[in-house]
Amino acid sequence: MTVLVVGDVIDDIVVRPLRPTAPDTDTPSAITAGPGGSGANQAAWLGALGARVRFAGRVGAADAAAHTAALAAAGVDARLAADPGAPTGRIVVLARGGRRDMYTDRGANLNLSAADLPDDLLDGVTLLHVSGYSLFQPGVRAAAGDLMRRARERGAATSVDPASAAFLADAGPEAFRAWARGARLIFPNLDEGRLLTGAREPSAVAAALLDDHPVVALKLGAEGALVAARDGTRLALPSAPAEVVDPTGAGDAFCAGFLAGWAAGRPLEDCARGAVAAAGRAVAAVGARPRKES
């Protein structure tokens, strides 16, 4: 029962100001660097949660060994293409309280191609999860979309996380819904869900997305989550109690927590509880990847 994740690999720099920003001069801050990228984060969380997981992405050639090792340490079978010309993607995350702003240079991720996604990636795979970042650029979208088609032909389920409200707005909600249609599960946050559907209330957002996807897991941040399914299931769960240190990667952890349960054949309620628990772990530590629990 292997989950295959396709998406971005990023070098994260997380900046946490230690006092209000002083314009045009210095603001004392805590700055942490580490591996990130929505798809790679989801794979790392899946591995840390005990799922069998494979990951495909693209990085700068100089960083391929380091990123492969970082993912392997989390239990991920990483298949990274080494880009000879473009650098690994980079993000500067400005984290303040429960919010964060991200300044993104996707680098080598924009060059992911069909050659990086061969058929043997799908061997033994029961679920293919695609980060929405892989659907926003035409070339990458064509490669990821073809892999989704091949996965379904083999009988594997597919799932999608819209990933970025800003990029989703640029691409257009109707276009994204067309690209994602056919996925069995979708994992938007509330902002993304509102963009995709035009609805405002979480229950209305979830109901609208059920037209395209049998299962909707709507991330509501501090308010928890709403999970809906075409069989009539409606689950509203509170967020896990946690002191918010850094929200980076919380949505990725949520997605992985849900999919870990799904891949193991657990009921939707167990999947949802695993999702909010993983998100709670993520916000309580700096950085987007899982840390070993003491």
Side-chain angles (χ1 to χ4, degrees):
M1 296 277 186
T2 299
V3 179
L4 171 61
V5 181
V6 173
D8 280 11
V9 187
I10 292 286
D11 289 326
D12 282 350
I13 300 173
V14 179
V15 180
R16 291 182 297 133
L18 300 178
R19 65 188 190 199
T21 300
D24 298 321
T25 186
D26 297 294
T27 300
S29 303
I31 300 176
T32 306
S38 183
N41 294 341
Q42 291 162 353
W45 278 100
L46 276 161
L49 293 169
R52 181 176 296 175
V53 56
R54 187 174 298 147
F55 175 78
R58 191 173 182 91
V59 297
D63 301 323
H67 275 288
T68 299
L71 287 164
V76 179
D77 171 15
R79 313 282 182 92
L80 299 183
D83 196 302
T88 299
R90 290 165 289 181
I91 290 180
V92 176
V93 181
L94 183 59
R96 292 170 288 193
R99 301 189 62 83
R100 80 271 192 265
D101 299 315
M102 296 183 291
Y103 302 87
T104 305
D105 177 352
R106 294 185 61 208
N109 294 295
L110 297 176
N111 294 334
L112 188 74
S113 69
D116 302 329
L117 304 175
D119 280 340
D120 63 3
L121 278 177
L122 294 168
D123 290 348
V125 167
T126 56
L127 174 72
L128 166 62
H129 177 71
V130 175
S131 167
Y133 284 107
S134 297
L135 300 179
F136 293 127
Q137 297 295 129
V140 183
R141 179 169 65 250
D146 184 66
L147 185 68
M148 293 172 77
R149 176 189 60 77
R150 285 181 277 146
R152 291 173 189 139
E153 287 177 352
R154 289 189 177 208
T158 57
S159 61
V160 172
D161 179 354
S164 170
F167 289 156
L168 177 57
D170 289 344
E174 289 304 317
F176 189 91
R177 287 185 71 163
W179 303 331
R181 195 166 288 125
R184 190 166 181 182
L185 307 96
I186 191 167
F187 295 91
N189 64 27
L190 185 56
D191 287 342
E192 294 157 359
R194 285 170 170 168
L195 280 170
L196 285 169
T197 65
R200 299 299 299 171
E201 293 302 313
S203 58
V205 170
L209 288 172
L210 286 175
D211 289 343
D212 294 340
H213 310 282
V215 178
V216 177
L218 186 63
K219 297 173 282 189
L220 302 176
E223 301 303 313
L226 174 64
V227 176
R230 285 180 184 166
D231 66 5
T233 298
R234 297 292 186 275
L235 300 168
L237 286 84
S239 60
E243 178 184 356
V244 179
V245 175
D246 174 16
T248 309
D252 299 328
F254 176 97
C255 185
F258 195 102
L259 290 178
W262 178 273
R266 299 186 187 121
L268 280 182
E269 184 171 358
D270 289 352
C271 296
R273 292 190 184 283
V276 296
R281 281 180 59 186
V283 300
V286 177
R289 299 280 178 91
R291 286 166 170 74
K292 291 183 179 179
E293 293 184 303
S294 56

